[in-house]
């Protein structure tokens, strides 16, 4: 009597994945892809935000440096000069020895700084001088004003050189920026007018003379005459 053929086991003969296993794998893959895409989008947003903040910070620092350069170079004028310093809360006009130029200036140049609204409603700080008009900085939803300081530190909302003969130019000029409807300043730029802007007033590091470990020489402008003693020549001791 012939023997019936042996039947293979179901577990031993199957190959591949079941439908349920494929669905679970697809669900896990979709979840991982969603997480990776979300993390990548977040990283791109952070990079974009940081890059924008760096650009805005560099632009603000550059504009502040330009502001100090212009104010520091304001030239005091004589009583007979027709180019008088005039200023109010929205801007001022004056002569400066440090205009925003690439070439070296040897004479004062007429310039003006003013706060104006652009077409988008942003508050802009505009610089004008010799057919040049440039936007130095801008603020959104902000108001601004200039404050002029006397030698005693008194803040003034306006300045007229013709009416204030005792002080030809302010001692310092401050730019105050605040949000609309809020009196708390969000930015304050302060620049001092130098007494002699045509000379360098930078404080140099002390220079140690040769052989003088504890002595230092004070810095003096180039026009000052300094007499420096030459060191005495070395003389060997005489023998007995």
């Amino acid at each position: 009597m012939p023997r019936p053929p042996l039947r293979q086991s179901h577990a031993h003969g199957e190959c591949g994945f079941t439908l349920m296993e494929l669905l679970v794998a697809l669900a896990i893959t979709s979840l991982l892809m969603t997480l990776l895409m979300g993390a990548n989008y977040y990283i791109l947003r952070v990079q974009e935000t940081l890059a924008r903040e760096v650009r805005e910070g560099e632009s603000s620092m550059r504009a502040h440096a330009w502001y100090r350069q212009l104010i520091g170079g304001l030239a005091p004028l004589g009583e007979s000069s027709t180019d008088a310093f005039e200023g109010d809360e929205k801007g001022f006009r004056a002569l400066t020895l440090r205009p925003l130029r690439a070439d070296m200036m040897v004479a004062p140049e007429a310039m003006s700084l003013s706060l104006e609204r652009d077409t988008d409603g942003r508050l802009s700080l505009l610089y004008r001088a010799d057919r040049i008009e440039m936007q130095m900085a801008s603020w959104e939803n902000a108001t601004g004003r200039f404050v002029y300081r006397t030698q005693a530190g008194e803040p003034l909302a306006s300045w007229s050189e013709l009416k204030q003969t005792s002080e030809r130019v302010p001692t310092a000029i401050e730019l105050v920026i605040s949000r609309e409807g809020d009196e708390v300043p969000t930015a304050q730029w302060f620049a001092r007018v130098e007494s002699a802007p045509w000379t360098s007033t930078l404080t140099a590091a002390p220079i140690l003379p040769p052989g003088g470990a504890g002595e230092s020489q004070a810095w003096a402008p180039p026009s000052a005459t300094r007499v420096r003693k030459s060191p005495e020549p070395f003389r060997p001791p005489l023998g007995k």
Side-chain angles (χ1 to χ4, degrees):
M1 183 176 182
R3 301 177 59 183
L6 298 177
R7 300 177 59 184
Q8 293 182 349
S9 173
H10 178 71
H12 179 71
E14 69 180 2
C15 61
F17 300 96
T18 63
L19 179 60
M20 183 60 65
E21 291 173 343
L22 290 176
L23 292 177
V24 171
L26 289 176
I28 294 175
T29 304
S30 301
L31 180 60
L32 292 177
M33 290 297 296
T34 302
L35 294 176
L36 291 176
M37 291 297 294
N40 189 26
Y41 176 76
Y42 177 75
I43 292 175
L44 293 178
R45 288 291 302 273
V46 169
Q47 290 180 348
E48 181 181 356
T49 302
L50 290 177
R52 183 175 65 253
E53 291 180 355
V54 169
R55 289 195 301 268
E56 292 178 354
E58 291 179 349
S59 177
S60 178
M61 293 177 60
R62 181 170 56 249
H64 195 184
W66 286 344
Y67 179 80
R68 294 195 304 268
Q69 173 182 332
L70 293 171
I71 303 302
L74 294 184
L77 304 178
E79 296 182 0
S80 60
S81 177
T82 58
D83 296 319
F85 182 97
E86 296 288 340
D88 55 17
E89 290 187 345
K90 295 303 179 182
F92 63 89
R93 61 181 180 88
L95 294 181
T96 181
L97 289 167
R98 299 176 184 174
L100 302 182
R101 285 178 172 270
D103 53 347
M104 183 67 65
M105 292 292 298
V106 295
E109 181 175 280
M111 50 79 64
S112 67
L113 287 180
S114 60
L115 293 171
E116 301 179 13
R117 296 284 180 183
D118 57 12
T119 56
D120 297 333
R122 295 173 61 91
L123 183 66
S124 299
L125 177 62
L126 298 181
Y127 165 78
R128 295 184 177 92
D130 190 23
R131 301 185 301 275
I132 298 176
E133 180 175 339
M134 181 182 65
Q135 183 187 65
M136 291 178 55
S138 63
W139 300 270
E140 188 176 1
N141 299 326
T143 59
R145 57 188 175 90
F146 286 97
V147 180
Y148 308 93
R149 300 280 179 174
T150 64
Q151 293 182 359
E154 178 185 1
L156 299 178
S158 61
W159 189 282
S160 177
E161 186 176 351
L162 300 178
K163 298 179 181 179
Q164 298 170 250
T165 56
S166 60
E167 298 182 41
R168 307 302 294 173
V169 294
T171 304
I173 302 178
E174 183 179 4
L175 176 59
V176 182
I177 303 296
S178 58
R179 293 191 177 276
E180 294 182 350
D182 191 358
E183 298 182 355
V184 179
T186 57
Q188 287 181 288
W189 290 3
F190 185 88
R192 183 178 299 276
V193 180
E194 299 177 1
S195 58
W198 49 85
T199 61
S200 176
T201 59
L202 298 177
T203 303
I207 303 174
L208 296 179
E215 301 178 358
S216 61
Q217 296 177 341
W219 179 85
S223 59
T225 303
R226 179 180 300 275
V227 178
R228 183 175 179 181
K229 296 181 180 179
S230 58
E232 295 182 358
F234 174 74
R235 297 179 179 177
L238 299 177
K240 294 182 180 180

